[in-house]
Amino acid sequence: NVTGLLQEMVDGIANEAGVLRVGIFACSGTSSTFSLMAAVGCLDDTRELAIHRDDALVRWLEVNAQVVTRGIVTQLHDIRERRLLQRALDMMGAELIIPLHGRSEMLGWMFLGKRATGLPFDDASFQSMIILGEYAAIALENAMLYQETMLQKSFAETLLHSLPIGIIASDADERVGWYNDAAESILGLKRGRVLNHSINALGNPVAEHIRL
């Protein structure tokens, strides 16, 4: 559950980093729109944001792969960049925006609000937040890959059981891993008696044929 994982992550970051606001924007499934998937102490307006992958903010984070802070924004020479990033910080009520990059694309970004102490982020805490962002990116990418794999597996199983021909497959240890509805009907053997059991449960003629 990607959403559940991200919520645990932001809860932990808020607690350990002592910040009042943490959020992670990411794309859900095959969507091309970034939305707030996990948050602590975030503004209602932030929760309603939907930012397309072609948005100027997303392109800037992709190209520059740089942490955004209010101090960095004031040093930018391009006034359009300053306005873009200042608006993004204000829109999320954030002090930091940390891009979350995967191996092949940007996965989203994490933002943090002010520290509970009211003190600005010093160099040590700033570096810690960057490291946390790197870990968050790894966790997010792995969770998304796992979710995609499970969806593909579910689709494959649905397709398998819809086929009118009997399909049986076993692994190297001769345990039945695939046994569709048609095979169950043809052989008259319930799935529970066959699936994850030795191919011998199918009877000698079928078992020998699979061994071939």
Side-chain angles (χ1 to χ4, degrees):
N1 186 321
V2 175
T3 303
L5 172 69
L6 294 181
Q7 189 59 52
E8 288 184 9
M9 192 183 303
V10 297
D11 288 341
I13 291 172
N15 183 54
E16 293 298 323
V19 292
L20 301 174
R21 179 175 296 146
V22 184
I24 292 180
F25 274 82
C27 287
S28 177
T30 58
S31 172
S32 59
T33 301
F34 292 93
S35 59
L36 190 64
M37 294 188 66
V40 171
C42 289
L43 305 169
D44 289 340
D45 289 346
T46 307
R47 296 179 184 277
E48 297 175 2
L49 287 175
I51 303 176
H52 196 272
R53 190 171 287 276
D54 292 334
D55 187 88
L57 172 63
V58 178
R59 292 201 304 270
W60 193 95
L61 294 173
E62 282 180 323
V63 170
N64 293 276
Q66 180 182 354
V67 176
V68 178
T69 70
R70 294 187 182 273
I72 289 173
V73 169
T74 59
Q75 297 173 16
L76 294 173
H77 297 296
D78 191 319
I79 190 169
R80 289 173 300 180
E81 286 186 308
R82 288 205 306 271
R83 287 175 176 171
L84 171 69
L85 300 179
Q86 185 66 56
R87 179 174 175 271
L89 289 166
D90 292 343
M91 192 166 50
M92 300 175 208
E95 296 297 308
L96 300 176
I97 297 176
I98 304 171
L100 304 178
H101 287 274
R103 286 182 283 270
S104 59
E105 63 178 352
M106 194 181 79
L107 306 171
W109 60 90
M110 179 171 68
F111 66 91
L112 294 91
K114 292 183 177 181
R115 301 169 75 185
T117 60
L119 298 173
F121 289 95
D122 55 25
D123 289 342
S125 57
F126 180 72
Q127 292 301 320
S128 296
M129 293 303 101
I130 293 176
I131 294 171
L132 280 174
E134 292 172 354
Y135 281 120
I138 293 170
L140 175 58
E141 183 170 43
N142 287 339
M144 286 181 165
L145 287 172
Y146 177 77
Q147 180 172 273
E148 182 179 351
T149 300
M150 294 306 293
L151 286 172
Q152 290 174 349
K153 181 182 178 183
S154 176
F155 174 76
E157 289 177 347
T158 301
L159 179 63
L160 175 77
H161 290 300
S162 69
L163 294 175
I165 58 175
I167 297 178
I168 304 169
S170 69
D171 59 19
D173 296 325
E174 296 190 349
R175 288 193 173 275
V176 178
W178 291 93
Y179 187 75
N180 72 344
D181 293 345
E184 184 179 54
S185 177
I186 293 167
L187 297 179
L189 295 170
K190 294 296 183 182
R191 187 176 289 109
R193 290 181 54 192
V194 174
L195 199 61
N196 298 319
H197 289 76
S198 167
I199 59 174
N200 292 325
L202 298 164
N204 286 334
V206 178
E208 289 302 321
H209 187 72
I210 292 175
R211 288 191 180 99
L212 294 176

